[in-house]
Amino acid sequence: MRTELSRRLGIEHALFGFTPFPPVAAAISRAGGLGVLGAVRYTAPGELERDLDWMQAHTDGRPYGLDVVMPARTVPGLTEADVEAMIPDGHREFVRRTLAEHGVPELAEGERSGWRITGWLEDVARTQLDVAFDYPLALLANALGPPPADVIERAHSRGILVAALAGSARHAVRHAAAGVDIVVAQGYEAGGHTGEIATMVLTPEVVRAVDPLPVLAAGGIGSGEQIAAGLALGAQGVWLGSIWLTTAEAGLTSRALTAKLLAAGSGDTVRSRALTGKPARQLRTPWTDAWDAPDGPGTLPMPLQGLLVAEALSRIQKHEVVPLLGTPVGQIVGAMDSIRSVQAVVDDLTRGFERAVNRLNAVVGNRSAGRNGWAQRDHRPAPGAAPQEDTTS
């Protein structure tokens, strides 16, 4: 699965794996792809440095990347306390009532929620980059469009390629104009933040819109056959995220959540604003249903919604309130029915890719043979005509 882009990055397979788990990212790189570590959860001093040190020691010299979250539009100097003050009391009451209806216990006194919106603030992302730029990253990706111009310049000065996710060709054109090197065309089927256009339609649109920039196909991809389809649509690689959630290296601490992922079908996800305020595909639960119900208060814009629900999600996860347990995940969850190692997943992807290519080669071969057959038949005498002399020896 080699393309011009994979050769440029020095990876065996044109396979880019996004994950919040360092062991998964490192394993993807060791397996011949490019592991991309998500940085949004690193908000405490020293955490990102610790895990990048670990990545450096466990990638066997293979390239790896980092994914940050830098919103395209920000309010300078906005703090978490500022955001907290903007949340309406009615929304807080809705959260309290919904949790009470499902019997979700409180956190222990003095315990703070583990998931905060801090990592979504530009100032925090810049602090993460101050750490990350001391490491030999091969790729810097931004989940919410292109990073600011000075960040792109800093990355390029260190030989780091910059990627940005796009949900439409219009967005992709803006990303290209901003100076990114790679556009990730993320379709509607993907986990996390997505647009409204399916991968099969979006990928060729983005390829045409930003040519000659390389494009990665993303969204609903979890097999080698789907990778082959992405490359056939003009992409130079694929961006995979959800498929790694049930790998052994991910080591999800919640067995109940793992069981829900393994049991879920492709129709068991929903694109909802309940998590962050922007549309994000995730497991459908009574929690997402409550936020999307017509009689609910409606979600708040990013980053207010993320801060509003942070403690609630931590309570649901800590106490494993199974009906409400959820996570961002794409429609490919229907194919995630067993726990496998990252290497086993990559092996399956490469085998599936080979099968798809062999099938296409067979189709092309049959088509060529068919054309030859028709050509021969076209030179036969018409009915009733005198036979031609055989001049073959």
Side-chain angles (χ1 to χ4, degrees):
M1 298 191 294
R2 286 181 176 165
T3 65
E4 181 182 346
L5 179 60
S6 68
R7 287 189 287 270
R8 182 178 178 184
L9 285 163
I11 57 178
E12 183 178 356
H13 307 303
L15 188 159
F16 297 72
F18 165 79
T19 174
F21 308 111
V24 176
I28 293 168
S29 289
R30 292 197 305 270
L34 188 85
V36 182
L37 179 65
V40 70
R41 67 188 181 94
Y42 293 99
T43 58
E47 286 183 339
L48 181 59
E49 183 176 9
R50 176 201 65 201
D51 281 1
L52 287 177
D53 282 341
W54 189 93
M55 288 278 295
Q56 190 66 20
H58 290 83
T59 48
D60 295 347
R62 305 288 183 91
Y64 60 91
L66 188 75
D67 179 277
V68 296
V69 176
M70 302 187 78
R73 291 186 296 273
T74 61
V75 179
L78 185 68
T79 67
E80 187 172 322
D82 296 330
V83 177
E84 186 89 45
M86 299 177 190
I87 298 175
D89 290 339
H91 282 73
R92 296 186 189 279
E93 176 57 31
F94 178 78
V95 170
R96 285 192 291 268
R97 187 170 66 250
T98 304
L99 294 179
E101 288 173 356
H102 292 275
V104 181
E106 299 277 352
L107 294 176
E109 186 176 352
E111 185 177 0
R112 196 176 185 212
S113 62
W115 186 85
R116 309 295 292 176
I117 59 101
T118 312
W120 298 79
L121 300 177
E122 182 177 340
D123 290 347
V124 175
R126 287 185 176 276
T127 301
Q128 293 167 345
L129 291 174
D130 288 340
V131 172
F133 281 146
D134 287 336
Y135 293 82
L137 300 178
L139 179 73
L140 173 67
N142 188 35
L144 296 177
D150 66 298
V151 172
I152 294 176
E153 184 178 349
R154 288 179 68 189
H156 286 168
S157 70
R158 290 164 173 79
I160 301 170
L161 297 184
V162 178
L165 276 66
S168 71
R170 176 170 50 89
H171 292 156
V173 170
R174 288 209 302 260
H175 298 356
V180 304
D181 306 289
I182 302 167
V183 175
V184 181
Q186 180 165 278
Y188 174 84
E189 306 94 324
H193 295 118
T194 72
E196 299 181 354
I197 305 172
T199 305
M200 182 67 73
V201 175
L202 179 65
T203 301
E205 286 185 349
V206 172
V207 168
R208 288 193 298 269
V210 302
D211 183 60
L213 281 187
V215 172
L216 303 180
I221 298 175
S223 73
E225 288 82 357
Q226 290 169 314
I227 293 174
L231 298 189
L233 294 172
Q236 287 202 31
V238 293
W239 177 275
L240 309 179
S242 297
I243 195 70
W244 314 112
L245 286 173
T246 52
T247 56
E249 290 87 346
L252 290 180
T253 56
S254 172
R255 292 185 179 181
L257 179 55
T258 300
K260 289 188 76 170
L261 288 169
L262 294 175
S266 57
D268 292 328
T269 68
V270 63
R271 187 168 167 266
S272 170
R273 297 178 183 268
L275 183 63
T276 68
K278 285 183 176 290
R281 186 169 296 284
Q282 54 203 284
L283 279 181
R284 182 177 182 179
T285 68
W287 174 259
T288 60
D289 288 345
W291 281 104
D292 296 336
D295 59 349
T299 55
L300 298 171
M302 179 187 281
L304 276 69
Q305 181 72 15
L307 183 57
L308 170 65
V309 303
E311 181 178 319
L313 297 179
S314 290
R315 288 166 58 184
I316 292 168
Q317 292 164 5
K318 177 179 179 179
H319 299 291
E320 291 205 330
V321 183
V322 176
L324 302 188
L325 271 179
T327 185
V329 68
Q331 291 179 330
I332 196 62
V333 70
M336 296 157 50
D337 55 6
S338 64
I339 297 176
R340 299 178 291 165
S341 69
V342 167
Q343 183 65 63
V345 171
V346 173
D347 288 344
D348 187 55
L349 293 173
T350 55
R351 284 193 295 267
F353 179 82
E354 185 175 0
R355 286 194 301 270
V357 171
N358 287 338
R359 280 198 296 269
L360 290 174
N361 285 337
V363 169
V364 172
N366 289 336
R367 186 165 177 245
S368 298
R371 281 179 173 173
N372 291 335
W374 281 110
Q376 291 170 2
R377 285 193 292 273
D378 286 344
H379 286 86
R380 293 172 183 171
Q388 296 179 353
E389 182 182 357
D390 184 4
T391 58
T392 58
S393 57

